[in-house]
Amino acid sequence: MLRRLLLPLALAGLALTVAAAGNAGTAAAHKKLVGEVGPGFKIEVTTPADKDVKTLKAGTYTIVVEDKASIHNFHLIGPGVNKSTSVAFVGKKTWTLTLRRGKYTYQCDPHATQGMKGTFRVTA
């Protein structure tokens, strides 16, 4: 009688463990982007394969910002997002962001009026 009860409980525990492990892997599988500013007057958002980003699906993204010049910053603005590096900062920052439907602008604040900016759209 005890064996009849233990086997289903053991199988249920195993199923829960497998499900939890699967969900942990899914949660960590954010989509990745690269934001780059400098050297010179270059600013862009690309995929890890160096493809320019024009349109993305809504969701959670990890963006690695590579700020390569102390005269620029990287500023991302859009629905629910307003993140930036400081002008003096040089290095890498990693942000995890939820991008919602709409238009996003990335720019260097001191040089945006000189054309140092870009946009992409996020769709549903």
Side-chain angles (χ1 to χ4, degrees):
M1 174 90 168
L2 186 56
R3 284 187 200 169
R4 286 186 194 173
L5 291 175
L6 289 178
L7 182 59
L9 287 175
L11 291 175
L14 179 61
L16 287 173
T17 302
V18 169
N23 287 341
T26 302
H30 297 299
K31 299 167 198 117
K32 296 182 180 182
L33 299 171
V34 177
E36 186 176 349
V37 61
F41 286 80
K42 172 185 170 182
I43 190 166
E44 63 185 2
V45 174
T46 64
T47 66
D50 203 31
K51 182 179 175 189
D52 285 339
V53 171
K54 299 296 180 199
T55 305
L56 297 170
K57 297 250 185 218
T60 302
Y61 289 81
T62 298
I63 180 168
V64 176
V65 177
E66 299 174 4
D67 192 332
K68 298 179 178 181
S70 62
I71 62 168
H72 301 305
N73 74 328
F74 185 93
H75 191 174
L76 180 62
I77 308 148
V81 173
N82 187 0
K83 295 280 286 184
S84 64
T85 62
S86 69
V87 173
F89 175 79
V90 174
K92 288 186 180 184
K93 297 255 183 185
T94 301
W95 302 331
T96 300
L97 306 170
T98 300
L99 302 182
R100 300 189 313 229
R101 189 171 167 230
K103 181 181 176 181
Y104 288 77
T105 300
Y106 52 94
Q107 66 186 33
C108 166
D109 293 326
H111 302 107
T113 59
Q114 296 167 346
M116 202 171 167
K117 61 184 172 181
T119 63
F120 61 86
R121 292 208 165 272
V122 174
T123 62

